């Protein structure tokens, strides 16, 4: 039993290094099967998994068969919100960011997107992705901004829902003109506004995409756009 905390941290770190989502499910709110509140130890267990850098934490019997399913979910969300608002959490994430060293164009674009988003104080990073690889690489670096992953594949969106900081959006192929990048940018503005990731016309979005679209790992474009839409953009976008 004494090895479990160390192994949990080791597994989460390795998942982050490889860009794989990690989900911690350790009966962390078990007492809430019969009680409306968790014990202090359970609350601390849930918080520890978040501090460790897990992509997600999961309930099981608490919400599936317990007497207080809604309270369990709400309590877990409260713990998540409290930890993510703690300055120690952001410092830990910054200190443990894995390095992307594969030397690919996609990786360079993601690193640049994170840097640009920080420097221009963008509200979110948006990425057009087919298989989800670009969004997962963005999640690896735990950027300060949320990541909006736009994909024509429902399966990709379902997978990305488990990745840290990623807000996937399914956009069917018939609604996405992949031969018109300006139209893709317009779609991006509409989606990020609808999801509440931007709220003001002047909010900036850092967008990444790859052409030809649909080629795995082909991210090779980066743009910074205001959320106002095409009528406010420079014609060169």
């Amino acid at each position: 039993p004494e090895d479990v905390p160390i192994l949990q941290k080791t597994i989460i770190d390795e998942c982050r290094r490889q860009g794989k989502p990690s989900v911690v499910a350790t009966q962390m709110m078990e007492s809430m099967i019969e009680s409306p509140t968790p014990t202090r130890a359970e609350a601390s267990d849930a918080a520890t998994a978040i501090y460790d850098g897990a992509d997600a934490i999961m309930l099981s019997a608490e919400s599936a068969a317990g007497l207080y399913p809604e309270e369990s979910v709400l309590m877990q969300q409260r713990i998540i919100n409290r930890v993510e608002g703690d300055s120690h959490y952001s410092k830990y994430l910054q200190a443990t960011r894995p390095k992307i060293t594969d030397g690919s164009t996609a990786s360079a674009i993601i690193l640049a997107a994170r840097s640009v988003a920080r420097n221009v104080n963008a509200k979110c990073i948006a990425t057009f992705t087919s298989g989800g690889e670009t969004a997962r690489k963005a999640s690896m670096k735990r950027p300060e901004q949320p990541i909006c992953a736009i994909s024509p594949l429902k399966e990709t969106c379902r997978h990305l829902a488990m990745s840290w900081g990623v807000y996937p959006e399914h956009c069917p192929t018939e609604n996405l003109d992949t031969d018109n990048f300006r139209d893709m940018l317009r779609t991006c503005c509409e989606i990020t506004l609808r999801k509440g990731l931007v709220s003001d016309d002047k909010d900036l979005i850092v967008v990444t995409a790859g052409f030809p679209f649909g080629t795995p790992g082909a991210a090779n474009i980066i743009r910074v756009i205001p959320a106002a839409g095409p009528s406010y953009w420079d014609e060169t976008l």
Side-chain angles (χ1 to χ4, degrees), residues 52-90:
D52 285 346
D55 288 84
I57 55 177
M58 189 180 83
L59 297 171
S60 49
E62 301 93 332
S63 56
L67 298 176
Y68 302 95
E70 292 184 19
E71 290 84 352
S72 298
V73 174
L74 289 172
M75 178 56 69
Q76 191 174 59
Q77 187 61 57
R78 284 172 58 188
I79 293 171
I80 293 171
N81 291 344
R82 184 66 182 85
V83 171
E84 290 186 343
D86 181 18
S87 61
H88 293 91
Y89 177 67
S90 59

Side-chain angles (χ1 to χ4, degrees), residues 15-215:
C15 286
R16 284 188 63 189
R17 190 183 68 81
Q18 294 193 24
K20 306 292 185 181
S22 58
V23 181
V24 176
T26 56
Q27 300 172 310
M28 53 184 62
M29 300 282 191
E30 190 170 15
S31 71
M32 290 194 73
I33 295 174
E34 298 180 349
S35 171
T37 57
T39 66
R40 286 177 295 174
E42 288 170 340
S44 180
D45 190 25
T48 296
I50 302 165
Y51 277 115
D52 285 346
D55 288 84
I57 55 177
M58 189 180 83
L59 297 171
S60 49
E62 301 93 332
S63 56
L67 298 176
Y68 302 95
E70 292 184 19
E71 290 84 352
S72 298
V73 174
L74 289 172
M75 178 56 69
Q76 191 174 59
Q77 187 61 57
R78 284 172 58 188
I79 293 171
I80 293 171
N81 291 344
R82 184 66 182 85
V83 171
E84 290 186 343
D86 181 18
S87 61
H88 293 91
Y89 177 67
S90 59
K91 290 177 182 177
Y92 176 79
L93 290 183
Q94 292 171 13
T96 59
R97 282 194 178 106
K99 293 182 179 180
I100 301 178
T101 56
D102 59 11
S104 67
T105 302
S107 295
I109 289 291
I110 288 301
L111 291 172
R114 176 178 167 269
S115 178
V116 170
R118 184 176 63 248
N119 289 334
V120 302
N121 196 28
K123 291 296 183 180
C124 76
I125 297 171
T127 177
F128 288 90
T129 181
S130 180
E133 185 64 24
T134 304
R136 280 188 286 269
K137 283 188 176 182
S139 177
M140 278 176 65
K141 300 302 290 184
R142 300 296 195 259
E144 291 81 0
Q145 297 78 11
I147 304 160
C148 180
I150 303 168
S151 176
L153 303 177
K154 286 185 178 180
E155 185 177 1
T156 296
C157 291
R158 290 174 181 140
H159 288 170
L160 289 175
M162 302 304 295
S163 293
W164 186 97
V166 177
Y167 295 81
E169 176 73 15
H170 175 238
C171 187
T173 305
E174 57 268 24
N175 297 338
L176 192 64
D177 185 0
T178 56
D179 293 324
N180 186 336
F181 188 52
R182 192 177 178 85
D183 185 68
M184 291 174 68
L185 294 176
R186 177 189 57 77
T187 299
C188 171
C189 288
E190 293 174 353
I191 290 172
T192 52
L193 179 63
R194 186 170 67 249
K195 296 179 83 69
L197 301 177
V198 295
S199 57
D200 188 273
D201 286 349
K202 296 180 180 179
D203 287 344
L204 296 179
I205 308 167
V206 177
V207 185
T208 72
F211 284 92
F213 186 71
T215 304

Side-chain angles (χ1 to χ4, degrees), residues 1-14 48 52:
E2 66 273 15
D3 291 336
V4 171
I6 298 172
L7 291 173
Q8 175 174 303
K9 294 178 187 296
T10 302
I11 292 170
I12 291 173
D13 286 347
E14 183 61 21
T48 296
D52 285 346

